[in-house]
Amino acid sequence: MKKPLLFAKELVREVLTPGDIAVDATCGNGHDTLFLAELVGPEGKVFAFDIQQEAILSTQKKLEAAQLSERVELLNTSHANEAFWPPAPLQAVMFNLGYLPGGDHEVITQPKSTVAALQIAVTRLQPGGIITLVVYTGHDGGEEELEAVRNFCTKLPQKEYAVLEYKFINQINRPPLLLAIQRLTKPTK
Amino acid sequence: MKKPLLFAKELVREVLTPGDIAVDATCGNGHDTLFLAELVGPEGKVFAFDIQQEAILSTQKKLEAAQLSERVELLNTSHANEAFWPPAPLQAVMFNLGYLPGGDHEVITQPKSTVAALQIAVTRLQPGGIITLVVYTGHDGGEEELEAVRNFCTKLPQKEYAVLEYKFINQINRPPLLLAIQRLTKPTK
């Protein structure tokens, strides 16, 4: 059985095709940005957010090594900053909630800005499109963020969105879990 | 995103190969029994339990139509009846918890016997093998059964088993959810 991080990628791979627009809402070390850039192809585009310059630089390096920089717009700002989101309908949006692995553990994603970004993502998602949130809860504030995000998710209308929770329930060390949102119907505009 | 019933099948399909032994702990109308019989091939075997004769007959009919009867042992008894379980290491065990669709809604699986069967299944599962439980909770007693099963599952040692919970969380009509158990290590005996 796949771990949440891998299963998130599987869900995205099922729906994201060349020419699509995707967002990496928390680019971190750039793994997901690179993954999305490969899937959208030369005609598609990825917008990758991170408030930490360290993360942006690390991602940039990865993209250059893979010669995929042209497909990606790196945004060194908060994902809650709506003006920077692409206007086009989105086919995939990926979040990793917690702190930057190997970085400053004091800098963590925050419930308020995460939910604000999620609200933007949900609204711009096109039918069939998917949002994945891999949520780490082992750090201070992690459980509160999960609660805020989960609360937002459970209120999404079931006729328009399906929200999946995918988690391992017999582990004592608080492993990450996955929340995934798929838009079902046509946007009501 | 796949519904729990379909995702359960996907998990089983990933691990069950020709020659394996599988159990359908609640054969109901025989859908899962047929599915398992196809996967184990002519060298494998499926043991299918149901306390309702109606379910056994319905499953028998399906198997005959598919010419797969020889691969299946139909057992018209409780899945908690340990003497009827195959001694061999099991690669897949499927449960559907609730009542027989189209049958008597008063006859439902019960927490006590379900947990007893699950205990047998967990012990006989071979490394890499999977148990799936699709749990319906819309009927009287459904929530209590889920609680009993989930309680059992969360206590399985994480070094030996991974337990996944897979559910849609924004639906008001109590949809079925999936619990899946995979054995990770060599049996200790």
Side-chain angles (χ1 to χ4, degrees):
Chain A
M1 296 190 294
K2 291 182 182 72
K3 294 192 171 171
L5 199 60
L6 262 184
F7 191 66
K9 285 187 171 181
E10 182 173 312
L11 289 178
V12 169
R13 202 181 287 114
E14 278 173 11
V15 302
L16 192 62
T17 55
D20 285 339
I21 311 288
V23 170
D24 186 347
T26 50
C27 72
N29 287 321
H31 296 289
D32 289 343
T33 309
L34 189 68
F35 170 74
L36 293 169
E38 285 166 352
L39 290 173
V40 298
E43 307 298 320
K45 198 86 187 173
V46 178
F47 295 77
F49 289 88
D50 211 294
I51 47 166
Q52 290 181 276
Q53 196 179 22
E54 184 188 349
I56 294 290
L57 293 174
S58 168
T59 301
Q60 192 169 30
K61 211 168 148 187
K62 258 199 192 67
L63 292 170
E64 278 166 9
Q67 297 188 296
L68 292 172
S69 304
E70 281 185 15
R71 302 179 188 179
V72 181
E73 197 81 45
L74 290 170
L75 304 161
N76 190 4
T77 183
S78 167
H79 48 212
N81 206 336
E82 187 162 7
F84 288 82
W85 279 69
L90 305 175
Q91 186 63 7
V93 181
M94 298 183 84
F95 288 83
N96 266 296
L97 304 181
Y99 50 76
L100 174 65
D104 183 353
H105 290 200
E106 297 296 307
V107 182
I108 55 172
T109 51
Q110 299 290 341
K112 200 176 160 189
S113 46
T114 299
V115 170
L118 193 48
Q119 178 64 57
I120 300 166
V122 159
T123 312
R124 300 187 185 203
L125 201 63
Q126 64 183 349
I130 274 186
I131 300 167
T132 62
L133 301 118
V134 176
V135 189
Y136 294 80
T137 61
H139 58 286
D140 278 354
E143 289 290 349
E144 289 74 10
E145 184 171 41
L146 171 60
E147 199 187 324
V149 169
R150 206 178 181 283
N151 188 39
F152 176 88
C153 285
T154 56
K155 287 180 182 153
L156 288 169
Q158 71 182 83
K159 287 194 175 172
E160 207 172 347
Y161 302 94
V163 184
L164 173 70
E165 185 176 48
Y166 179 103
K167 63 177 175 186
F168 288 92
I169 59 170
N170 69 324
Q171 302 184 0
I172 51 171
N173 47 352
R174 294 200 277 181
L177 61 89
L178 169 68
L179 293 168
I181 302 167
Q182 185 163 36
R183 186 157 199 161
L184 302 171
T185 54
K186 294 274 172 201
T188 47
K189 170 104 167 120
Chain B
M1 294 190 294
K2 292 184 182 71
K3 293 192 172 171
L5 199 61
L6 262 185
F7 191 66
K9 286 188 170 180
E10 183 173 312
L11 289 178
V12 169
R13 201 181 288 114
E14 279 172 11
V15 302
L16 193 61
T17 54
D20 284 339
I21 312 289
V23 170
D24 186 348
T26 51
C27 72
N29 287 321
H31 296 289
D32 289 343
T33 310
L34 190 67
F35 169 73
L36 293 169
E38 284 166 352
L39 290 173
V40 299
E43 307 298 320
K45 199 85 183 173
V46 178
F47 294 78
F49 289 89
D50 212 294
I51 48 166
Q52 290 181 277
Q53 197 180 21
E54 185 188 349
I56 294 290
L57 293 173
S58 168
T59 301
Q60 191 168 32
K61 213 168 144 186
K62 257 198 194 71
L63 292 169
E64 279 166 7
Q67 298 189 293
L68 292 172
S69 304
E70 282 184 13
R71 302 179 188 178
V72 181
E73 198 81 44
L74 290 170
L75 303 162
N76 191 3
T77 183
S78 168
H79 48 213
N81 206 336
E82 188 161 8
F84 287 83
W85 279 69
L90 304 175
Q91 185 64 5
V93 181
M94 298 183 84
F95 289 82
N96 265 295
L97 304 181
Y99 50 76
L100 173 65
D104 183 351
H105 289 198
E106 296 297 307
V107 182
I108 55 172
T109 51
Q110 300 290 341
K112 200 176 160 187
S113 46
T114 299
V115 170
L118 193 48
Q119 177 64 58
I120 301 166
V122 159
T123 312
R124 299 187 184 202
L125 202 63
Q126 64 183 350
I130 274 186
I131 301 168
T132 62
L133 301 117
V134 176
V135 188
Y136 294 81
T137 61
H139 58 286
D140 278 355
E143 288 290 347
E144 289 75 8
E145 185 171 41
L146 171 61
E147 198 188 323
V149 168
R150 207 178 179 284
N151 188 39
F152 176 88
C153 285
T154 55
K155 287 180 182 153
L156 287 170
Q158 72 181 81
K159 286 194 176 170
E160 205 170 349
Y161 302 95
V163 185
L164 173 70
E165 185 175 47
Y166 180 103
K167 64 177 175 186
F168 288 92
I169 59 169
N170 69 325
Q171 301 184 1
I172 51 171
N173 48 350
R174 292 202 278 182
L177 62 90
L178 170 67
L179 293 167
I181 302 166
Q182 184 163 34
R183 187 158 197 159
L184 301 172
T185 54
K186 294 272 171 203
T188 48
K189 147 81 194 178

